[in-house]
Amino acid sequence: MEERKSLVAGGNLLQAHTWKGLLEACGIHVELRGEALLGGVGELPADLHNVELWVGESQFAKAQAQLSALDVVSPQWQCVQCHEHNEGNFELCWQCSSERSESHN
């Protein structure tokens, strides 16, 4: 069995699934690890809250190249509560701490 390497680690499950799907569409087999541990936020140590994408060593360079090509800036979004503009990578409004809505600018 081929050795696997960690490609990406972070706490954003939606982003991890998006990257996984895009890499698999390029023919790269991806394993998502740590998803089940996200239910323990607040109970488990912070370093266990990461989701990780793992790929085979032979596909590691190709996977890195694909993710580098996807390096796009997330669009800003406007809070529906206070109407403040927030950076695309924010999940909560920086002004009023409301959750991100589905309406984006």
Side-chain angles (χ1 to χ4, degrees), residues 22-75:
L22 290 169
L23 291 171
E24 287 176 339
C26 296
I28 300 170
H29 177 73
V30 181
E31 181 183 343
L32 182 63
R33 296 182 185 174
E35 183 175 12
L37 295 176
L38 289 178
V41 171
E43 301 293 325
L44 295 172
D47 61 339
L48 290 179
H49 297 164
N50 283 342
V51 288
E52 299 176 343
L53 296 180
W54 287 71
V55 297
E57 265 188 77
S58 64
Q59 295 184 311
F60 188 78
K62 181 179 177 183
Q64 278 186 316
Q66 289 295 327
L67 287 183
S68 292
L70 296 173
D71 192 2
V72 295
V73 176
S74 299

